[in-house]
């Protein structure tokens, strides 16, 4: 194929490929600048397209932001699901779930910033997507908690929400501190904390949380 036959250089990418190109450019701008400071002009320039081309795919900045958020809020719970399904040992499943948070924040595209550090959480469409993603993740972790502890659903979910909150906060701290220790070691430490917490709920019929 000659250089003139390259569809990328001719500017006639298939619609799906063009959309992916625009989203990649937009993500880098949103991560660097946040939603409010990001400009469609800058996104178009970074994607090497005209603004009319950008608007053909995304009518507005919010539409583009939500498309990216949809992608990441679907991907993250699945990342955790695959982690907990990678083993049948509950200790290892907790560690794997925690590890998924560290893996997510370490991704080069920094998509976690749109999910966990958005400057647009007062927008209902954004808040709903983020809350649903975290709830789906907590449901996955709650299943592990129920299997290991025998806690009722409501209590297992409460513990799972605590584990999810702890994991995402610590993972974000770790990446903000420029990965002071290796990812696997950081995840292992937080996983031990989570697992030792779960051992405080012995799987015994009739046991209740000590009040």
């Amino acid at each position: 194929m000659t250089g003139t036959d390259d569809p990328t250089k001719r500017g006639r990418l298939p619609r799906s490929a063009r959309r992916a190109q625009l989203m990649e450019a937009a993500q880098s701008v949103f991560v660097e600048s946040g939603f409010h400071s990001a400009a469609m002009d800058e996104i178009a320039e970074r994607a090497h397209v005209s603004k009319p081309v950008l608007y053909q795919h995304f009518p507005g900045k919010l539409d583009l932001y939500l498309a990216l958020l949809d992608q990441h809020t679907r991907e993250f719970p699945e990342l955790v699901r695959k982690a907990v399904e990678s083993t049948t040992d509950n200790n290892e499943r907790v560690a794997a779930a925690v590890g998924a948070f560290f893996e997510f924040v370490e991704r080069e595209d920094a998509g976690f910033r749109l999910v966990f550090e958005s400057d647009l959480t007062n927008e209902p469409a954004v808040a709903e997507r983020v809350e649903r993603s975290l709830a789906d993740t907590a449901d996955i972790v709650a299943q592990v908690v129920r299997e290991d502890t025998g806690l009722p659903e409501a209590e297992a979910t409460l513990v799972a929400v605590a584990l999810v909150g702890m994991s995402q906060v610590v993972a974000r701290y770790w990446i903000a501190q420029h990965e002071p220790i290796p990812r696997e070691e950081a995840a292992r430490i937080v996983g031990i904390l989570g697992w030792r917490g779960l051992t405080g709920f012995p799987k015994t019929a009739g046991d209740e949380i000590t009040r």
Side-chain angles (χ1 to χ4, degrees):
M1 179 184 292
T2 65
T4 56
D5 291 330
D6 187 341
T8 303
K9 294 181 179 180
R10 295 199 310 270
R12 296 201 296 268
L13 284 174
R15 184 172 180 82
S16 60
R18 177 68 76 195
R19 182 180 173 87
Q21 176 196 30
L22 296 173
M23 289 177 66
E24 181 179 358
Q27 175 152 313
S28 66
V29 174
F30 286 136
V31 166
E32 292 171 12
S33 305
F35 176 83
H36 295 294
S37 297
M40 292 293 269
D41 287 316
E42 184 180 1
I43 293 170
E45 181 179 351
R46 196 165 299 195
H48 305 293
V49 301
S50 65
K51 278 183 69 176
V53 169
L54 177 57
Y55 281 111
Q56 284 174 8
H57 291 265
F58 300 98
K61 187 167 68 168
L62 180 60
D63 301 281
L64 185 45
Y65 192 88
L66 291 177
L68 285 164
L69 194 59
D70 281 337
Q71 174 182 310
H72 292 302
T73 53
R74 283 194 303 265
E75 286 176 348
F76 180 63
E78 284 307 306
L79 190 65
V80 175
R81 186 186 304 279
K82 289 179 181 178
V84 300
E85 290 178 351
S86 66
T87 178
T88 56
D89 180 278
N90 282 341
N91 185 349
E92 294 177 1
R93 292 170 82 188
V94 170
V98 171
F101 284 84
F102 283 84
E103 179 183 341
F104 186 57
V105 303
E106 196 183 35
R107 286 183 172 181
E108 187 175 349
D109 63 12
F112 79 94
R113 298 195 184 279
L114 275 66
V115 180
F116 299 138
E117 299 178 356
S118 174
D119 62 344
L120 198 60
T121 52
N122 61 336
E123 167 62 44
V126 171
E128 187 275 331
R129 284 164 169 80
V130 172
E131 289 169 6
R132 184 179 65 237
S133 180
L134 291 174
D136 289 345
T137 304
D139 286 344
I140 295 165
V141 176
Q143 181 178 348
V144 177
V145 173
R146 286 196 301 272
E147 291 176 4
D148 189 71
T149 65
L151 286 172
E153 182 176 353
E155 294 177 1
T157 299
L158 190 66
V159 172
V161 169
L163 288 171
V164 167
M166 174 183 71
S167 298
Q168 66 104 342
V169 168
V170 176
R172 286 167 49 208
Y173 170 82
W174 172 79
I175 200 74
Q177 297 300 311
H178 308 293
E179 306 176 25
I181 61 176
R183 186 186 81 192
E184 293 78 7
E185 180 65 7
R188 185 188 71 82
I189 291 170
V190 179
I192 289 173
L193 176 61
W195 177 251
R196 288 182 176 173
L198 288 181
T199 59
F201 302 101
K203 190 172 183 178
T204 305
D207 275 355
E208 296 182 356
I209 298 176
T210 302
R211 290 175 171 82

